Amino acid sequence: NLFAKIEQNCIDYLNKSAAPDRVLENFVKTIRSTLFPSIWYKEFSNAKFFERFLEICEFSQKAIDLLAEDKMLEEFFLSRNVFIKNFSEDYEMLSTNQIIFAAAVQLSLGLINTEKVSKIFCSYVDAKIKYIIKSLDLPYKFFISAMGSHGAGSMNFSSDIDLIIVVDDINLYETVQENFQKFVQKIQKELKPFEVDFRLRAEGNKAPLVLDISNYEKYFKERARIWEFQSLLKLRFITGDKSLFSNFKKILFNRIKLLDGAAVIKDIKQMYDNVQKEFPGYSGIHIKKHAGGLQSIDFIVQSWALSSYTRFENCLGKNIPQIIKYFSKENFEDLPKLSRNYKALRKMEFAILNLFNTHKSIVPSKKEQKALLEKWLRIKMPVDEYISKILESNNKLLEKHLG
């Protein structure tokens, strides 16, 4: 009996677990989904490896579900390659599921933090985009830039990949739309389950996939609104012609110079109020969208960055910790508190997405799930109380800086 050799270790872990039923269910799920359970039992004779597996069963439903769905992940796990700290040299050979699985495993075990997960995801996506573009050998002067959480380097397990494609002169290229559609098809297939989106381009989904730099210059001058400049704060170059991207930034910066600081604050506050009114509400607290959540911190920081051209230029394509670090030079008194709140919310967001394999970072309502979340976060108070204090603190900061 192969299980008999690991039975005591399993019992010992279950006795100290916050969710023994969950651990056992995920253990059984994994063994039943594999074609060769004897190989797993043999590997589990290594007590340290077996304990790590049980810890994953407890703290990463994301990893367990991926392991059951994708048979390619078995060897990746049993070979211990899943624990490699630096995958950058192997991005071209690794699947998106392998990257997500490794991040979920390492995060659940405390081997990496949330910022490292974001860095891995963004670097991997960039590498795949560059690889596909190189293989297509497109005869255009163009660039591809990241937007959204991908642009700001803050991707999580459920992030979309927001991109824009810009060429120098659309009239020079008859087949540009068709050829970049091929790129989109390839990148969407390559990066599943991440969703690839181009909705943040000028005019949104009404516009062609590819626009040229003159289209953007006209749009910035005539129709772009403050919320679009908020989005453009997360613009980051991925691949293509760097001189064209530099020209694009100059056009953007020249438009930012014309913004009125007081009007910007007013518009951002109005946008925030509108977003909160449209927020449907959930049975639990949404870490990102709830008043005082991660989105609120975004609005605070964006109001600072858009208040002057110099600030915008220095904050372009940066994540929240990097922007906070930049503003530390200006002696903003609320930065330490904002930084602590951001890190706490991000850790909770990743924990929820990873522990429960959900697409929405909503604090769970079930008592046993709350207990599991509290254990992984290592907090010494009820999670609802913990999150409420952070949200209250952020709401006070929002009122102070946006009015």
Side-chain angles (χ1 to χ4, degrees):
N1 188 339
L2 293 171
F3 179 72
K5 295 180 180 180
I6 61 171
E7 184 176 7
Q8 189 56 52
N9 287 342
C10 186
I11 292 170
D12 290 344
Y13 188 91
L14 293 174
N15 285 335
K16 66 181 182 180
S17 171
D21 290 344
R22 170 188 165 106
V23 174
L24 203 55
E25 286 171 12
N26 282 332
F27 174 84
V28 172
K29 178 178 182 177
T30 302
I31 296 301
R32 284 181 175 174
S33 68
T34 183
L35 297 174
F36 305 102
S38 61
I39 296 176
W40 284 77
Y41 284 122
K42 182 180 177 181
E43 294 298 329
F44 288 159
S45 64
N46 181 316
K48 183 177 180 182
F49 181 65
F50 184 47
E51 183 168 6
R52 277 186 163 186
F53 173 71
L54 293 176
E55 199 170 341
I56 295 163
C57 288
E58 182 168 14
F59 294 116
S60 181
Q61 196 63 46
K62 168 71 73 176
I64 294 298
D65 290 349
L66 279 171
L67 195 55
E69 294 162 10
D70 188 342
K71 301 306 176 188
M72 297 292 290
L73 296 177
E74 287 189 28
E75 174 59 25
F76 189 54
F77 182 69
L78 294 176
S79 67
R80 317 309 199 258
N81 285 333
V82 70
F83 301 117
I84 293 173
K85 290 292 183 69
N86 186 3
F87 293 104
S88 58
E89 295 180 2
D90 302 316
Y91 281 155
E92 289 184 14
M93 296 181 289
L94 293 171
S95 71
T96 305
N97 272 353
Q98 284 177 311
I99 288 294
I100 295 173
F101 179 65
V105 166
Q106 293 191 28
L107 181 68
S108 67
L109 297 174
L111 302 177
I112 56 176
N113 61 21
T114 58
E115 297 313 308
K116 180 65 174 178
V117 174
S118 292
K119 186 176 181 180
I120 290 169
F121 287 166
C122 293
S123 298
Y124 175 77
V125 171
D126 287 357
K128 287 295 184 182
I129 289 171
K130 290 175 183 177
Y131 175 74
I132 291 173
I133 286 295
K134 185 178 180 181
S135 71
L136 291 173
D137 193 25
L138 299 171
Y140 314 122
K141 187 175 183 180
F142 72 95
F143 69 82
I144 297 176
S145 280
M147 300 276 283
S149 61
H150 177 211
S154 57
M155 284 181 67
N156 62 40
F157 292 103
S158 63
S159 289
D160 289 340
I161 298 164
D162 294 298
L163 304 172
I164 63 169
I165 304 171
V166 181
V167 296
D168 56 338
D169 187 346
I170 204 82
N171 297 314
L172 296 176
Y173 313 121
E174 290 184 8
T175 60
V176 67
Q177 302 293 346
E178 292 85 349
N179 283 335
F180 272 108
Q181 283 292 348
K182 294 177 183 177
F183 160 74
V184 173
Q185 291 168 5
K186 284 177 176 289
I187 202 67
Q188 285 177 332
K189 182 179 179 180
E190 193 74 25
L191 293 177
K192 282 184 178 178
F194 291 124
E195 293 289 333
V196 182
D197 207 315
F198 293 84
R199 70 185 185 278
L200 294 179
R201 65 189 182 274
E203 305 288 4
N205 290 331
K206 296 183 294 182
L209 174 67
V210 184
L211 298 170
D212 68 22
I213 198 163
S214 65
N215 296 139
Y216 274 96
E217 184 169 21
K218 184 178 180 182
Y219 185 75
F220 289 160
K221 286 180 179 178
E222 297 177 3
R223 293 189 298 285
R225 291 162 290 179
I226 294 299
W227 72 264
E228 289 169 287
F229 295 122
Q230 289 177 252
S231 295
L232 284 160
L233 183 64
K234 298 179 180 181
L235 178 79
R236 181 176 57 79
F237 178 84
I238 299 175
T239 190
D241 191 287
K242 290 184 178 180
S243 63
L244 184 64
F245 181 68
S246 293
N247 290 337
F248 184 91
K249 287 197 297 181
K250 286 178 184 176
I251 292 168
L252 175 59
F253 292 156
N254 286 336
R255 180 64 183 89
I256 296 297
K257 287 178 183 177
L258 300 177
L259 297 178
D260 176 76
V264 165
I265 298 295
K266 183 179 179 181
D267 283 359
I268 289 178
K269 178 61 166 65
Q270 184 61 56
M271 174 58 64
Y272 178 79
D273 290 342
N274 291 341
V275 168
Q276 284 302 306
K277 287 176 184 176
E278 293 170 6
F279 178 56
Y282 296 93
S283 57
I285 295 170
H286 197 300
I287 301 299
K288 179 180 179 181
K289 297 181 179 180
H290 207 91
L294 286 168
Q295 195 172 64
S296 301
I297 294 177
D298 248 357
F299 271 84
I300 293 170
V301 170
Q302 288 164 1
S303 71
W304 295 344
L306 278 165
S307 62
S308 80
Y309 153 73
T310 304
R311 287 176 172 177
F312 186 90
E313 183 180 25
N314 282 285
C315 295
L316 187 72
K318 303 291 195 302
N319 59 32
I320 296 294
Q322 290 169 330
I323 294 176
I324 288 175
K325 184 177 180 180
Y326 167 74
F327 279 108
S328 65
K329 301 172 185 176
E330 301 189 29
N331 297 318
F332 277 53
E333 64 178 356
D334 294 320
L335 291 179
K337 184 185 297 182
L338 196 67
S339 180
R340 286 194 302 272
N341 290 351
Y342 175 80
K343 289 176 182 178
L345 289 176
R346 281 272 290 177
K347 188 173 182 180
M348 183 170 290
E349 176 187 47
F350 275 75
I352 292 168
L353 297 175
N354 192 23
L355 262 72
F356 310 116
N357 193 17
T358 176
H359 293 290
K360 291 188 174 76
S361 53
I362 299 171
V363 177
S365 57
K366 294 181 179 179
K367 185 178 179 180
E368 60 271 21
Q369 290 181 324
K370 289 180 189 289
L372 194 62
L373 188 57
E374 289 160 7
K375 182 179 178 182
W376 190 83
L377 291 170
R378 296 181 180 178
I379 55 177
K380 297 178 180 179
M381 64 177 74
V383 66
D384 289 334
E385 182 183 344
Y386 177 76
I387 186 67
S388 294
K389 286 184 176 181
I390 296 172
L391 298 181
E392 182 182 359
S393 174
N394 286 338
N395 282 325
K396 288 178 180 178
L397 291 174
L398 192 81
E399 180 65 27
K400 178 178 178 180
H401 293 281
L402 290 183

